[in-house]
Amino acid sequence: MKQIRFALLRHGVTTWNTGKRIQGRTDISITPETAAWYRQYRLPTAWLDVPWMASPLSRTRETADALGIAPIGSEPAFIEMDWGAWEGAKLPDLRASLGDRLQENEDRGWDFRPDRGESPRDVLGRVEGFLKGCGLPQFGAVTHKGVIRAVYAAARGWDMMGKIPDKLDWHCLQVFNWSDDAGLSIEALNVPLVPAQEIAR
């Protein structure tokens, strides 16, 4: 039976994050302040010698660089959910322009889909496709909120409706297991990064 253990870490903050704009596939860099913050931290010891990869977007590679991670490559399966025509918009503005149609879309849970974009189900499908073909027993990926939420929801049995069952800390690792017969499960949530000076001791 094939089994994989993997950790996901969200990228650092960008100006679009602070401005509450929907990023999706738009390639926005992390802020200098965010890069400086991540340079003060390292991965937990158990994840230092595991192969890491990054999404194709620069904000994940920049986060990896600041943490001292040398990704083995760029992996399209871990790119952010495509928000299509809504990228660059703010959610309150979308609510004002779309009205009840947006709420009806959100109430579809796994099948919520921005105009000309992806659904969480699409995101999960590409991640699971990668896992099925992956030859690594363990790996880590610097990725995006939409990807982590989709993996978490499948592992937790959450239908992506209403409030998320667990509070996810986006500065921490989220650790999952996958097997070809049991699918996804949660190993540990909110595993903290380690101050760099502790690793150096």
Side-chain angles (χ1 to χ4, degrees), residues 2 4 6 77-78 110 121-134 150-151 154-155 178-179 182-184:
K2 182 177 180 180
I4 300 173
F6 64 102
F78 292 102
W110 277 105
R121 195 181 302 278
D122 293 332
V123 175
L124 180 65
R126 56 179 159 84
V127 172
E128 288 185 324
F130 170 83
L131 292 169
K132 289 173 184 174
C134 180
V151 172
W178 178 86
S179 70
L184 287 159

Side-chain angles (χ1 to χ4, degrees), residues 157-178:
W158 176 43
D159 62 4
M160 304 200 84
M161 300 283 286
K163 187 178 179 181
I164 189 169
D166 300 287
K167 173 72 172 174
L168 300 183
D169 185 332
W170 300 116
H171 294 96
C172 293
L173 304 186
Q174 314 302 333
V175 183
F176 302 94
N177 291 290
W178 178 86

Side-chain angles (χ1 to χ4, degrees), residues 50 66 89 155 190 201:
V50 169
N190 301 327
R201 286 174 187 165

Side-chain angles (χ1 to χ4, degrees), residues 8-11 80 123 141 143-153 168 170 172 174 176:
L8 301 180
L9 176 67
R10 189 195 183 196
H11 63 80
E80 179 61 295
V123 175
T143 182
H144 305 268
K145 183 177 179 180
V147 174
I148 297 172
R149 278 172 57 91
V151 172
Y152 162 84
L168 300 183
W170 300 116
C172 293
Q174 314 302 333
F176 302 94

Side-chain angles (χ1 to χ4, degrees), residues 24 40 63 68 170:
Q40 300 176 68
T63 303
W170 300 116

